[in-house]
Amino acid sequence: MPLKRIVTATMATGLAAVCVVASAPAASARPAPPRTPVAEGSGGAVVSDTVESTQAGIDVLRRGGTAADAAVAVAATLGVTDPYVAGLGGGGYFVYYDARTKTVSTIDGRETTPARDSSTMFIDPSTGKPYDFETAVESGRSVGVPGMLATWQRALQRWGKFSLADNLKPAEKVARHGFVVTPEFERQTQSVAAKLGRFSPSAELFLPGGAAPKAGSVLRNPDLAATYRQIQREGVGAFYGGAVGRDLVRTVQNPPVTPGAATPLTGPMQLSDLRAYRALDGTPTHINYRGYDVYGMAPSSSGGITVGEALNILGNFPMSTMDQTQALHHYLEASRLAFADRNRYIGDARYVDVPQRQLLSKRFAASRACQIDPNKAGTSPVAPGDPYAPGPGCTTAPAASSDSNEQHTNHFVVADKQGNIVSYTNTIEQLAGSGITVPGRGFLLNNELTDFNFAPTQGSAPDPNLPAPGKRPRSSMSPTIVLHDGKPVLAVGSPGGATIITTVLQILLNRFDLGMSLPDAIAAPRASQRNAATTDAEAGFLALPAAKGLEALGQKFKSGGDIGVAAGIEILPHGRLLAAGEPSRRGGTSAAVVTGKN
Ligand code: GLU
């Protein structure tokens, strides 16, 4: 295991401010490059969380790479500069518009449960009851077989021009030379310091000297650089069965804790689980909303179906001519209803019978729309509908619960000069995932398996989201691509746990019904109703003129922090591209175009 993990050098003094000292020379201090949330131009575009990852993608596009090539470069670089939300230890969903065939396709790179002991993995054998969430969440038990690298390889096989080794180069370089810590990175590290401190390789890597690296210091990850180099040399086999995989499995089976820290649950993952992992080619969900063809992610994500169902419900109302209060009221109610159906019916479709066609039918949407009272908010939990027998009336069934709204993922978009588009959401689940870094390898392991329900949630009806061997936990990730008259017009997505769905829905509503530009649609204040008694709302949403009117209709809000961190690209006439990210949420995101205004 290499001695040296990270060197930081403070901007102010230029002195090494760290703990683990070793051979790497101290990096020179420099200010963090500014993030530009909006760019317009041509020749290709990228919007992602960090300046380095966006630049990596733009460089690949400039060298003639496709959107898929650039996406791999962006994702791998995010593994360095955004390590608490994504990287080799996680998974995600890749949606691709192929300009040659004019089709949208998907790759499901979601983590899977190990084959062994999975059905009962979250049941405490000593009590026969589910483990507390807190017990499971920072442990080897929560770690799913990562799908990230397999997704990159599959995307390149299908749509790439360069090799995986080529596309990993920018990330390897950033890991080796380091990047300037942003205030957001410092804040994120502080917020997960207790978790990182519990596991020795994580503390060593991310808490040099026992504290979060300061904004302005340079952070390197030589172990990750070496891991990327090994994958460049040996291919994905190094991970899915080779030396990296062996280290990963050993870590899951026996998480390395710091002296004195409580012993976490171990995980059942074996090398054979890594060998068996496949990223799955798939067909996107599709609905037509006011002439726009909206393509999303099918199960194992609930994103495409839930966004699609909610849009179908809204399609029953004249959203663009309603006043702001009524438009937002209908948005919240459509989301409330769609979430009830999501929770009842959606899981990994290889394991449960998901009525995708029925949930996305206009007839079912009409039956759900009839339940929206323009004068009164619904009372959650509302019951799911019956997509197998939709009628004008309302069905009754067991109620559903809402999900968490944490934002611990990233979404990015890429367009190339041929017109190919990537909309890719990737994650390690919670911020810093399980908290466990694979020793000597420089990346954190996910805790995605906690997206399963540990015990049935649907009363006497079956729960579609219980663990089983090789099953993928239900996700909310909603990478989306929209076409109009057969031509792409928009790609968008966001992190945010279950709020991903409402964020994507709200942006589409803002853009297509409420007349906002894409940057405004992304910047607009958000609220998220997920079949709960209260709607999560940003302070800015509660300051809208409509907020009082919504409360008068019985909408109840819980004021909270930022919801989502969206990234989008709009394809303007004559091939121009409008790349739009967040002006301020999570420290802002970084948009750039190959040629034009950056
Ligand atoms: N694990 C979540 C999902 O798949 C994403 C995590 C997040 O965005 O916080 O839906």
Side-chain angles (χ1 to χ4, degrees):
M1 196 198 300
L3 270 177
K4 173 79 194 73
R5 302 247 175 290
I6 268 179
V7 169
T8 64
T10 60
M11 249 185 84
T13 63
L15 296 172
V18 253
C19 58
V20 200
V21 185
S23 51
S28 59
R30 51 186 192 268
R35 295 179 180 183
T36 314
V38 180
E40 192 179 328
S42 56
V46 179
V47 186
S48 78
D49 271 6
T50 70
V51 173
E52 295 81 1
S53 48
T54 293
Q55 191 56 49
I58 291 288
D59 289 346
V60 169
L61 293 174
R62 286 212 169 108
R63 289 196 292 116
T66 66
D69 291 307
V72 171
V74 173
T77 306
L78 285 167
V80 185
T81 56
D82 214 7
Y84 305 136
V85 301
L88 287 173
Y93 296 99
F94 193 98
V95 179
Y96 195 79
Y97 173 76
D98 184 342
R100 195 176 52 78
T101 59
K102 302 195 185 325
T103 51
V104 181
S105 313
T106 64
I107 301 174
D108 177 334
R110 183 69 158 169
E111 298 89 334
T112 62
T113 49
R116 218 178 58 177
D117 302 334
S118 301
S119 305
T120 53
M121 67 192 296
F122 292 117
I123 304 296
D124 182 347
S126 68
T127 62
K129 298 215 165 66
Y131 287 112
D132 293 340
F133 191 72
E134 280 63 37
T135 306
V137 84
E138 291 176 18
S139 78
R141 197 65 55 95
S142 64
V143 182
V145 183
M148 199 70 90
L149 191 58
T151 307
W152 301 349
Q153 186 196 36
R154 186 67 192 134
L156 294 178
Q157 278 168 349
R158 295 181 73 183
W159 306 296
K161 190 161 145 194
F162 301 157
S163 67
L164 177 64
D166 259 353
N167 288 318
L168 290 179
K169 274 185 194 155
E172 189 277 334
K173 201 167 157 199
V174 178
R176 193 158 33 91
H177 291 298
F179 66 96
V180 181
V181 170
T182 60
E184 175 62 19
F185 187 92
E186 182 182 353
R187 190 196 65 71
Q188 284 186 11
T189 311
Q190 282 161 351
S191 74
V192 288
K195 171 154 73 173
L196 295 169
R198 188 172 167 195
F199 299 100
S200 44
S202 304
E204 219 177 314
L205 178 57
F206 296 113
L207 302 171
K214 290 266 172 278
S217 63
V218 172
L219 197 59
R220 299 187 200 170
N221 191 338
D223 288 351
L224 183 55
T227 304
Y228 280 148
R229 281 197 299 278
Q230 186 162 5
I231 294 167
Q232 286 174 311
R233 280 194 313 272
E234 298 172 16
V236 299
F239 190 96
Y240 292 104
V244 180
R246 278 196 295 277
D247 288 352
L248 191 160
V249 165
R250 203 176 303 126
T251 308
V252 172
Q253 291 178 356
N254 188 14
V257 286
T258 38
T263 310
L265 291 174
T266 60
M269 194 190 299
Q270 298 185 314
L271 206 55
S272 51
D273 293 310
L274 279 167
R275 286 204 186 98
Y277 186 85
R278 296 288 176 276
L280 305 172
D281 291 351
T283 309
T285 59
H286 169 248
I287 61 120
N288 188 282
Y289 184 66
R290 304 191 203 283
Y292 291 98
D293 289 295
V294 181
Y295 293 92
M297 196 63 221
S300 54
S301 183
S302 62
I305 295 180
T306 313
V307 170
E309 182 190 332
L311 286 173
N312 277 342
I313 294 172
L314 293 176
N316 289 279
F317 303 100
M319 300 296 291
S320 61
T321 55
M322 285 175 169
D323 65 27
Q324 192 186 40
T325 306
Q326 273 300 315
L328 291 173
H329 176 66
H330 280 75
Y331 154 65
L332 296 175
E333 293 304 299
S335 174
R336 188 192 305 279
L337 292 161
F339 261 89
D341 301 327
R342 164 199 186 267
N343 294 350
R344 169 67 186 82
Y345 296 109
I346 307 178
D348 183 342
R350 296 172 309 146
Y351 288 73
V352 292
D353 192 8
V354 179
Q356 178 171 323
R357 190 174 48 79
Q358 293 88 337
L359 286 168
L360 289 178
S361 77
K362 298 286 185 205
R363 188 167 157 221
F364 182 58
S367 78
R368 297 301 268 159
C370 83
Q371 301 191 351
I372 296 181
D373 182 341
N375 301 312
K376 196 167 171 295
T379 306
S380 278
V382 297
D386 182 355
Y388 296 102
C394 305
T395 56
T396 52
S401 63
S402 80
D403 266 297
S404 76
N405 67 337
E406 311 192 60
Q407 43 176 311
H408 306 141
T409 302
N410 68 56
H411 180 80
F412 70 84
V413 283
V414 182
D416 67 23
K417 66 170 186 273
Q418 281 79 27
N420 304 301
I421 297 171
V422 171
S423 191
Y424 186 15
T425 315
N426 50 116
T427 188
I428 56 172
E429 189 2 50
Q430 283 193 330
L431 197 64
S434 63
I436 308 168
T437 296
V438 181
R441 296 298 184 179
F443 63 90
L444 280 158
L445 292 169
N446 70 82
N447 53 3
E448 215 72 53
L449 299 186
T450 58
D451 274 359
F452 281 116
N453 295 328
F454 291 5
T457 60
Q458 296 298 304
S460 56
D463 186 317
N465 192 34
L466 294 172
K471 192 174 174 183
R472 299 178 181 209
R474 177 174 63 209
S475 169
S476 300
M477 290 188 261
S478 309
T480 302
I481 294 182
V482 182
L483 271 55
H484 192 256
D485 288 339
K487 295 198 184 76
V489 291
L490 192 72
V492 73
S494 175
T499 69
I500 292 170
I501 290 169
T502 58
T503 292
V504 169
L505 180 60
Q506 201 177 349
I507 291 169
L508 295 177
L509 177 73
N510 289 343
R511 178 68 195 88
F512 294 134
D513 283 324
L514 306 186
M516 294 184 203
S517 68
L518 182 62
D520 288 350
I522 287 176
R526 297 189 185 127
S528 176
Q529 167 50 242
R530 304 183 305 284
N531 198 16
T534 54
T535 294
D536 293 317
E538 295 179 343
F541 187 91
L542 297 176
L544 288 175
K548 289 261 168 313
L550 289 166
E551 275 162 350
L553 293 173
Q555 300 287 358
K556 294 188 177 54
F557 295 102
K558 192 164 87 212
S559 179
D562 291 348
I563 297 174
V565 187
I569 292 178
E570 183 161 343
I571 295 84
L572 304 173
H574 314 298
R576 287 191 70 73
L577 299 164
L578 176 60
E582 296 283 0
S584 62
R585 293 182 183 97
R586 201 153 79 188
T589 49
S590 170
V593 288
V594 169
T595 314
K597 259 194 298 171
N598 280 316

